[in-house]
Amino acid sequence: VDWWFKARRLNTVLPAVLAVFTLLLLLLRDSATALPSLVPAFSGSVPMALLLPVPVCAGVLVCLDSRLHEAEETSVRSPLPLDLALVTGTVAAVGLLAAVVESFAPSRAADEAARNTAFLLGLALVTRPWVGMRATLPPVAWVMAVAVAGYHLGHPLAWTVIARPPSDPPAALGAGVALLLGLGAQCLPDLGGRFRTKENV
Amino acid sequence: VVVVLSVIYFRALSGKNVHDMHGYAPAAVSVGLESQYALVYAVAAGLAAWESGRLKADGVWRLAPARSRLRIAAGALVPVWVLAWLTLLWPVVAWLVRVGSAPTAGCLPLLAMPLVVTVAYSVIGFTVGAVVNRYLAAPILIGVVWYAVAASWSFSTHMWTRDVLGQYPSELAYGELPEPVSLLTHVLFVGGLGAGVLVWAVARLPWLPRVALGVAVVLAGTLPARALADGWGADTPLSEGNVTVRCTGAAPSVCLPAISADRAPEVRREYAEVVADFRQTGVTVRAPRTITDSILSGSSGTPSSATVWRLPVTGTADGTRLRFSLARLAVMPRCAAPRMTQTQRIALWIGEVTGTQGLARAREREEAFTPAQQASLRTSSSRVTAVRKLSAHRQSRWYTDTLRAACSASPEMSG
């Protein structure tokens, strides 16, 4: 566990992205802006907080990508369970930090932070076996797609997941499924994503 | 992703009315670009960070340089620029084709601005990618640049942001062109940021003067840009009427854009009929110096005056509607805040005199929302019917009295 912790740079990268996440959550709260309406019917007021999980997802991927190849491929104990714990632990940490922020500065952004992080992180991890580290990009692409086409008459559509109200059961289910699929994808072998040789990405 | 989002954007915009552009190329260019700015800048910054990180990971900067480092960086950025520029330009081409117009010289400044700003964003991205882990830098830059540029359009508290982040904030209407200074602010601001980080990255100086120099360059670009844009608010400077206008005749001379120049005789004929109609009721219309097409005042809607009448000609195929506009310009009250009841009666009377009753009544009905306003409209209608039965002399006196009452400050009801 000790070398895994340091090899994954959990002592630097992850605390940094979580700190940035908490700071921005405090600063932004529920600031939202109407982005240029493309079809007026499909535009909505897009909260800045939708982008908050993006650095967290990228941070987790950077951590997962940072490894000791020789040691990990020859070790008796596979580091896979630890990696899965890293993913779920990050989502839990986001939820905890958001709950702390919520306790003295309530905002909708804090209520839905854990769900949105789970969904976008799951999305990134699902694509990772195929595209390698380019998997840091699907979360931000998803947020952009939501802003462009995710609202109808100001109401977030069901497929967006991250734009739905915090108490929406299908959205919570969607986020859970995405995270589980992401964890499942972690157990897959490399499917052309070459995520073991990051120099080639 | 770039292609898919571009297609969504573009399809979303394609509902806009092509006919409103009347083949005016800069309008097509502005609409084509509008959907692309935020996406293109985000992609330029993000991809540049990615490429820059790749060079760093491959150890390029540790090699003994055979080529200058700037040339190596530029070599890595050229594909980014090409992709960004293509993404920027293809909707413009598509819109020009739809509108059926070749690009004119007037389009060039508006096209050049985003091309330059794209390069500036890529320089910023490249420098960030050289410092921060690219897997973190790329998605964060994409998100931040995209949101900032897209949202600058709707910030109501800091209006100047819409004039500096590279997104030209308005769709051009027929005959409108951006003032050069309103494009310069974007280039200065983003270009200043890009030049600042570039200086910081390449200057061979100890760290303190290097940082100071970089900050100085950034401030030299951003502060003037902000100062220029600060007073504009939502009204980014535009010039209007940048099209060929043909004037015919005198007293009044009829000035129409080339696309509607063939309708000058029709306008003159309707004008003569309106003047004749009013003369029969004893009202003399004071001739304007010029009658012109309101499309030439773009979206600002410069109001008509006693000497210059502006009415919609282009896009108004219906002769009755032309006559209705001319009749209103001829005799409606011109004071700043005319009283409602009198204005309404004059408007209905104009309709009766010039044979445009249908349009006049429809217009007043649209403006009567409350039951009280609707009751007032009924009273006005019956009053005007009575007035129309009077002799020409008495009608003209009624008109003069009502006009005076409409423009008087004291509450006075005139029959």
Side-chain angles (χ1 to χ4, degrees), chain A residues 4-24 52 55-64 66 86 89-91 93-94 97, chain B residues 136 140:
Chain A
W4 172 84
F5 196 84
K6 284 199 178 123
R8 293 284 185 279
R9 290 198 269 175
L10 297 193
N11 47 353
T12 52
V13 175
L14 206 54
V17 293
L18 287 177
V20 168
F21 167 85
T22 315
L23 191 68
L24 288 178
L52 281 183
V56 177
C57 296
V60 170
L61 287 183
V62 167
C63 290
L64 289 177
S66 157
L86 163 62
T90 307
V91 175
V94 163
L97 289 168
Chain B
L136 285 169
I140 293 173

Side-chain angles (χ1 to χ4, degrees), chain A residues 5 8 34 45 65 67 79 82 100 149 186 199:
Chain A
F5 196 84
R8 293 284 185 279
S45 196
D65 188 56
R67 43 178 71 221
L82 290 172
V100 172
Q186 276 297 97
E199 293 79 12

